[in-house]
Amino acid sequence: MADLRDVADDGAQSGADGKGAATAGDAGVAGGAAASPGVALAVAGILAVLVLVVVPAAPTAVRILVGAIAMICLAGLAWRRSRGGVAAGSGGEARVLAERLVERNRELGQSLADLQSDHAKLEHYFDTLMENVPAHIYFKDERSRFLRTNRKMAAVFGCSHPADMVGKTDHDFFDAQHADDALEDERRVMRTGQSISGKIEQETFKAGDRERGWVLTNKMPFRDRNGRIVGTFGISSDVSDLVQARRELERERNMLRRLIDSFPDSIFVRDPGRHYLVVNRAMAGFVGADSPAEMIGRKPEDFFREMAEGGPEEDLEVLASGKAVVNREWSHPNAAGEVRQLMTTKVPLLDREGRCWGIVGMDRDVTEQRQAREQLRESERRLQEMMDNSPAVIWMKDLDGSYLMVNDGFESLFGLERRDVLGRTDHDILADKEAAARFREHDLEVISGGRARQVDDRLYVDGEPRWFVTVRFPLRDVSGRIHAIAGISTDITDRKHDEESLRRLNEDLVKANENLQRAQEQLIQAEKMESIGRLASGVAHEVKNPLAMIAMGLEILARRIPEEDDKATETIERMKRGIERAKKIVKGLVDFSSARQLGLQAGDVNGVVREALALTEYQLRKAKVEVVEDLAAELPPVDIDTNKLEQVLVNLVINAMHAMPDGGRLTLRTTEDRLEAVDRDEGARTKGHLREGDRVVRIEVEDEGTGIDPAHLKKLFDPFFTTKPTGVGTGLGLAVCRKIVELHRGTLELVNRAEGGVRATVTLKAAEP
Amino acid sequence: MKDTRILIIDDEPDFSALLAANLEEAGNFEVREVNDSSKSLEVARDFKPDLCVIDVVMPGLDGGDVVSRFRSDPDLKEVPVIMLTALVEENPNRPDGETITGGLPFVSKTSDFETVLACIEKHLLEAEE
């Protein structure tokens, strides 16, 4: 603004100069009419005017003084002219007067020439002034019509010559509003005689193609020689650039102000005495001041009750060294009393000469960041703690495979310290490059798949293969982008071993359970047999006595029946047959119950087989059964009770015979074998005494009969179970046979042969050599 | 010819009576029965049997006890004994159906009377020799 005022002042002075010049012009014209003795006065007046014209910048006092000199000169000239007229009127001196007149006339002519020359000079000065001053200069009459303008103005107003503007008004050039305003101003100037100086206004031309320009105008009353106001004159300069500059400056200032006020950080400028020069709203808000203005001129101590250590000293240091303090952290309560964590930067302000004239600074409230950082650290610490307390191996890698985090489990597994692992890849830390490549491959699968994956993997640790199950999963940032990958590996080697042992143990258990079950079945069976046996022997004994009585009684009765009494004889015979049948059953029961202990001794199985065949030879022949003897040439001795085994074989042979009521082939085979696997089928319940690898002797009795109904297989060995017609079998044969074989610690099994018929196999353990 | 004396020791009076009846009808046998085994020694000393048929399973003194007392009695120790019991079965491999166990012949009670008789006669013959 100061600059603009200067411009306005200059204009006012120019106006004053213009007025001076016009006055001088009038004085010059007046001076031209004086007699030759008044030349000196005239010259003095002209000189005075010239001084005014040539030295336009002369102070007002000087101008007034010079003007007065001019007026005195003019007055002198006037007085001399009136005195000369009186002299010419005297009587005796007519010739002298004439001579003087001629002289005077010559002098006057000379004077006039001089005056004309001076006038031309003045005119030239005026024109020079008009056309060269970088402003619009104009004179208007009392109705604000242009009297004269300078060329520059005419050109701007669109006229080719100043003369074209004469008689026109502002309304011819400007829009109505502006022309009216200007007219009003000029009227006031004429009415009051007061100049309007330094007014900045916007000129708006009528023609739309002209820009609106800003001008600084001065309007002054235009007076005639008598001092009467006859119009106005003025001078105006284009200050569009200045106005523009000022506006930009203002805008910039506003912008900067707004900028610093809108900053959430506290911003301040302090002079070397630590007085605030500039403070933004945030800072005022922080200390609880009503406005930034309240803080201006005051010191930090007035607002920061608990001034942080090194406050004034720090300012002095900055001022003295010219070095900035950057991001110093400290804390201070804010207006609400909450302690805030602040980060301060102070920078010295230097003038052109490099002298420090103040400090600009900024306090940033980093409380939230610090809290967030602290929370982050805390959560990272917790995470690390959780990871470290897990027995699993836990790690986190970036997308390039560099480790970001590992836990204690990782360290101890690989024998590496955390600092040697972080920032490095598997390739860097693992000797097993193949494993490293495999891990990377798994990692990339997770990164590209974007989903967790579980992999069982083997890794050599201290040369020992160990099994791990690893769950890898991608880690995503808030936008969902995968930025890392993490994994949890669990050493399942022991588990695998345990599983294996458990599996084996389970198998053993299942086996043991089966054995136990079988043993239990056998035990139950044995107990059943045992009790049945005891019962049977008791029953047998008790039944045999009355049976014996009946038999004895029948003997007596039979002798007393007359031979011709057929009926009685037949009755006796039937009764005897009944006794025989009862005796047979009792005998079977007794056999069964008496088969409890054996007299074992090493014997030849083939011999027993032959004996059994000899005992049954007659019956077999009668039943048209062909006997095939397929006996091993040499058999190891077997611990046997010859009589009992013979009883078994006779029983089996008779059974086979009964299975072939129309005759057929009966094969008796003996073999030596080593027991490979103890098979378990329905017909075999008595393998308990034999083990894999035992050397055994087998006796097989095969028939070509109808076979055994599968439904009967299980009941074969139950006492009193029989499929034979009533009276033919006692149902005790196989039960007794099995009991006897069991007492030999062998097995007896009956199976249906694939080719038809039944195979009964007695397996006996060979005697220990 | 003097009747051959047979002493039957059996706790079953019905059986001993029937056996005695059969023996008496079958030949020159004088048969005496003892149904209370504790009196068998007393009766035997009085009766002086040529042969004893002794049951095994009896209350009080059983057959074995009776035999051992006979064997320790100077007058009776030479008397042939046949153990006739329901404990054993007829031995199908011998015509007399007996089974020799512990030096004693065992014959099944359910054997035919003829078998029992054959056994008795055999042992009487052996005793005479």
Side-chain angles (χ1 to χ4, degrees):
Chain A
M1 273 311 276
D3 291 344
L4 289 178
R5 282 192 197 293
D6 290 347
V7 173
D9 288 348
D10 289 348
Q13 281 163 9
S14 308
D17 292 347
K19 174 191 166 192
T23 313
D26 292 341
V29 173
S36 57
V39 167
L41 282 172
V43 169
I46 290 164
L47 275 172
V49 171
L50 277 175
V51 167
L52 284 175
V53 171
V54 173
V55 192
T60 313
V62 175
R63 288 201 306 263
I64 292 169
L65 182 65
V66 174
I69 293 168
M71 296 299 275
I72 291 164
C73 290
L74 289 171
L77 279 175
W79 173 78
R80 278 187 61 88
R81 196 173 57 178
S82 64
R83 203 185 56 162
V86 172
S90 63
E93 294 173 356
R95 196 189 47 86
V96 173
L97 193 62
E99 282 174 0
R100 275 189 187 172
L101 272 172
V102 170
E103 180 60 24
R104 285 280 293 180
N105 200 30
R106 196 187 54 80
E107 282 173 6
L108 276 173
Q110 184 57 47
S111 245
L112 184 61
D114 289 347
L115 276 172
Q116 278 174 336
S117 161
D118 289 345
H119 179 73
K121 273 184 189 163
L122 281 173
E123 191 71 15
H124 175 66
Y125 292 150
F126 179 67
D127 284 346
T128 303
L129 196 65
M130 286 284 275
E131 302 309 331
N132 291 297
V133 169
H136 301 167
I137 302 170
Y138 61 87
F139 295 89
K140 289 181 179 174
D141 64 14
E142 72 277 9
R143 289 167 65 190
S144 285
R145 289 179 300 209
F146 284 103
L147 295 171
R148 187 164 177 185
T149 68
N150 63 353
R151 208 176 285 275
K152 191 178 171 69
M153 183 169 175
V156 169
F157 278 53
C159 298
S160 53
H161 195 272
D164 295 343
M165 291 189 67
V166 174
K168 292 186 171 161
T169 69
D170 281 347
H171 282 92
D172 295 318
F173 303 102
F174 298 122
D175 69 1
Q177 181 63 50
H178 179 54
D180 287 347
D181 290 348
L183 184 62
E184 188 54 42
D185 283 351
E186 283 157 14
R187 281 180 179 158
R188 193 167 64 246
V189 168
M190 285 190 290
R191 196 169 60 243
T192 63
Q194 298 283 317
S195 301
I196 291 174
S197 10
K199 180 181 180 185
I200 292 176
E201 57 186 14
Q202 195 169 24
E203 283 184 338
T204 314
F205 289 94
K206 270 186 166 171
D209 61 335
R210 299 288 304 278
E211 282 184 354
R212 293 150 69 101
W214 288 91
V215 290
L216 178 76
T217 69
N218 297 282
K219 292 181 194 278
M220 289 140 297
F222 183 38
R223 296 168 192 271
D224 66 8
R225 277 174 236 178
N226 300 321
R228 197 172 53 89
I229 292 170
V230 295
T232 57
F233 74 99
I235 181 160
S236 65
S237 346
D238 186 345
V239 291
S240 297
D241 290 350
L242 281 169
V243 169
Q244 191 66 25
R246 188 183 67 165
R247 290 189 154 196
E248 274 172 19
L249 204 61
E250 247 173 57
R251 203 164 57 233
E252 206 166 302
R253 266 173 61 129
N254 282 342
M255 199 175 72
L256 283 171
R257 184 72 228 179
R258 284 186 70 118
L259 189 68
I260 69 163
D261 276 341
S262 57
F263 247 68
D265 301 332
S266 297
I267 297 171
F268 59 87
V269 177
R270 286 201 289 258
D271 68 14
R274 309 187 71 241
H275 302 99
Y276 285 111
L277 300 175
V278 175
V279 167
N280 72 344
R281 279 185 204 282
M283 184 148 194
F286 185 87
V287 301
D290 290 337
S291 70
E294 191 187 318
M295 296 180 74
I296 302 301
R298 298 174 71 183
K299 291 187 170 186
E301 288 79 358
D302 298 335
F303 304 102
F304 293 95
R305 296 184 302 282
E306 301 167 22
M307 192 63 200
E309 220 180 307
E313 292 79 5
E314 192 176 79
D315 280 13
L316 287 174
E317 176 68 23
V318 171
L319 289 165
S321 67
K323 282 182 187 159
V325 168
V326 179
N327 291 343
R328 176 175 63 82
E329 280 200 45
W330 57 296
S331 59
H332 197 277
N334 64 5
E338 302 163 0
V339 174
R340 308 299 291 180
Q341 198 68 30
L342 301 169
M343 201 159 76
T344 293
T345 294
K346 292 178 184 174
V347 179
L349 289 166
L350 305 177
D351 63 14
R352 283 183 197 172
E353 281 74 36
R355 281 186 302 258
C356 198
W357 62 271
I359 288 174
V360 61
M362 188 171 87
D363 297 335
R364 170 162 293 177
D365 189 334
V366 292
T367 313
E368 275 77 21
Q369 283 105 300
R370 289 293 169 270
Q371 280 169 355
R373 194 171 66 184
E374 209 43 53
Q375 278 167 2
L376 189 67
R377 276 189 194 148
E378 179 62 19
S379 78
E380 274 193 3
R381 198 184 56 73
R382 268 189 231 141
L383 179 63
Q384 186 74 50
E385 211 161 291
M386 284 181 73
M387 281 166 58
D388 286 346
N389 281 290
S390 165
V393 173
I394 307 176
W395 49 262
M396 203 186 289
K397 296 175 195 171
D398 66 14
L399 298 184
D400 297 325
S402 297
Y403 281 99
L404 299 172
M405 263 181 120
V406 297
N407 72 340
D408 285 354
F410 188 101
E411 286 185 312
S412 56
L413 172 65
F414 293 105
L416 292 167
E417 289 200 24
R418 202 158 294 174
R419 61 164 186 271
D420 298 328
V421 175
L422 299 183
R424 302 170 81 177
T425 66
D426 287 323
H427 273 284
D428 299 332
I429 62 169
L430 293 183
D432 185 350
K433 297 301 172 199
E434 203 184 308
R438 204 165 57 235
F439 293 167
R440 182 65 181 150
E441 198 180 308
H442 293 323
D443 289 353
L444 289 174
E445 278 170 11
V446 171
I447 292 167
S448 61
R451 283 193 306 149
R453 290 178 75 116
Q454 183 176 317
V455 176
D456 278 10
D457 206 352
R458 197 176 54 186
L459 194 65
Y460 283 86
V461 178
D462 297 333
E464 293 286 316
R466 300 206 60 94
W467 280 95
F468 291 89
V469 56
T470 299
V471 178
R472 284 177 167 78
F473 50 97
L475 295 172
R476 295 170 191 276
D477 59 20
V478 283
S479 64
R481 200 176 51 88
I482 295 172
H483 68 93
I485 174 172
I488 301 174
S489 304
T490 311
D491 188 336
I492 54 166
T493 314
D494 293 343
R495 200 202 295 169
K496 280 222 169 190
H497 287 162
D498 290 351
E499 273 172 10
E500 182 58 26
S501 353
L502 205 63
R503 197 184 57 73
R504 272 194 227 124
L505 194 65
N506 191 43
E507 267 180 19
D508 291 351
L509 271 175
V510 168
K511 232 184 257 177
N513 190 39
E514 282 172 5
N515 289 340
L516 200 64
Q517 230 170 338
R518 215 160 42 237
Q520 195 188 16
E521 276 173 20
Q522 287 169 8
L523 197 66
I524 290 170
Q525 189 69 12
E527 276 181 5
K528 204 163 83 183
M529 291 298 134
E530 197 67 26
S531 51
I532 288 172
R534 263 194 295 277
L535 186 69
S537 76
V539 168
H541 187 259
E542 293 309 309
V543 169
K544 269 165 126 182
N545 278 312
L547 215 52
M549 287 179 227
I550 295 167
M552 287 297 166
L554 273 180
E555 288 293 331
I556 294 166
L557 290 177
R559 284 198 288 271
R560 278 163 176 66
I561 290 169
E563 269 185 35
E564 64 274 13
D565 191 344
D566 291 345
K567 186 85 177 172
T569 307
E570 198 189 323
T571 302
I572 293 291
E573 282 309 309
R574 283 183 200 281
M575 288 169 80
K576 279 187 175 173
R577 280 205 294 278
I579 289 169
E580 281 308 309
R581 214 166 111 191
K583 276 162 73 179
K584 221 188 230 179
I585 290 170
V586 169
K587 184 180 183 300
L589 276 173
V590 169
D591 278 347
F592 183 73
S593 60
S594 66
R596 277 185 234 161
Q597 41 189 313
L598 302 172
L600 291 175
Q601 61 187 91
D604 175 23
V605 169
N606 281 345
V608 181
V609 171
R610 289 194 190 100
E611 187 61 31
L613 278 174
L615 285 171
T616 51
E617 191 190 350
Y618 170 72
Q619 285 171 282
L620 290 172
R621 199 167 52 237
K622 226 169 75 178
K624 296 189 176 70
V625 170
E626 180 197 344
V627 174
V628 177
E629 281 183 52
D630 181 9
L631 305 182
E634 207 176 321
L635 283 175
V638 177
D639 288 334
I640 45 174
D641 180 320
T642 309
N643 284 333
K644 297 283 183 193
L645 188 58
E646 198 180 275
Q647 189 186 339
V648 169
L649 293 179
V650 168
N651 220 305
L652 294 177
V653 168
I654 299 297
N655 273 345
M657 185 187 80
H658 285 153
M660 299 184 285
D662 301 326
R665 186 186 301 174
L666 184 145
T667 306
L668 268 155
R669 186 182 299 118
T670 57
T671 51
E672 183 196 346
D673 200 0
R674 195 164 286 277
L675 211 59
E676 280 184 2
V678 179
D679 52 299
R680 307 177 186 106
D681 57 40
E682 287 296 315
R685 287 186 177 176
T686 53
K687 295 243 166 145
H689 302 305
L690 294 175
R691 290 174 193 284
E692 282 180 32
D694 279 353
R695 198 151 67 110
V696 294
V697 170
R698 284 206 177 92
I699 309 161
E700 294 173 333
V701 181
E702 289 177 1
D703 66 55
E704 295 177 331
T706 49
I708 304 164
D709 183 341
H712 295 151
L713 274 174
K714 267 194 167 179
K715 299 191 209 159
L716 283 179
F717 297 102
D718 290 349
F720 301 113
F721 175 78
T722 182
T723 57
K724 293 174 186 174
T726 309
V728 176
T730 60
L732 283 167
L734 280 175
V736 173
C737 286
R738 200 195 67 172
K739 198 152 173 71
I740 290 168
V741 174
E742 264 180 29
L743 288 168
H744 280 86
R745 307 184 76 78
T747 63
L748 168 61
E749 51 190 326
L750 265 76
V751 294
N752 283 316
R753 297 162 69 211
E755 51 269 59
V758 170
R759 179 189 301 122
T761 307
V762 176
T763 308
L764 299 169
K765 190 177 172 183
E768 299 294 334
Chain B
M1 185 184 168
K2 192 188 108 194
D3 283 352
T4 303
R5 288 188 294 276
I6 306 278
L7 178 63
I8 299 171
I9 305 171
D10 195 314
D11 60 317
E12 287 270 5
D14 287 344
F15 179 76
S16 58
L18 283 168
L19 180 58
N22 267 308
L23 284 172
E24 281 162 0
E25 282 186 17
N28 298 325
F29 291 112
E30 185 191 345
V31 183
R32 187 166 305 175
E33 303 158 46
V34 178
N35 297 118
D36 180 354
S37 59
S38 62
K39 291 178 180 157
S40 38
L41 205 64
E42 186 189 333
V43 174
R45 280 186 189 140
D46 174 57
F47 184 53
K48 296 185 185 356
D50 297 307
L51 187 142
C52 276
V53 176
I54 308 174
D55 187 16
V56 175
V57 182
M58 291 182 291
L61 292 177
D62 69 10
D65 297 335
V66 172
V67 171
S68 61
R69 291 192 182 194
F70 275 32
R71 289 292 179 257
S72 52
D73 187 289
D75 297 335
L76 299 172
K77 68 179 176 187
E78 298 298 332
V79 177
V81 166
I82 291 173
M83 306 303 286
L84 185 65
T85 172
L87 285 178
V88 299
E89 289 302 315
E90 203 178 306
N91 188 340
N93 299 323
R94 289 175 67 141
D96 53 8
E98 71 174 16
T99 307
I100 306 296
T101 303
L104 291 172
F106 277 71
V107 176
S108 174
K109 255 190 185 174
T110 54
S111 297
D112 294 343
F113 173 69
E114 276 154 37
T115 309
V116 177
L117 185 61
C119 190
I120 288 170
E121 282 174 344
K122 191 188 82 171
H123 284 281
L124 285 171
L125 270 175
E126 282 173 7
E128 277 177 25
E129 287 164 7

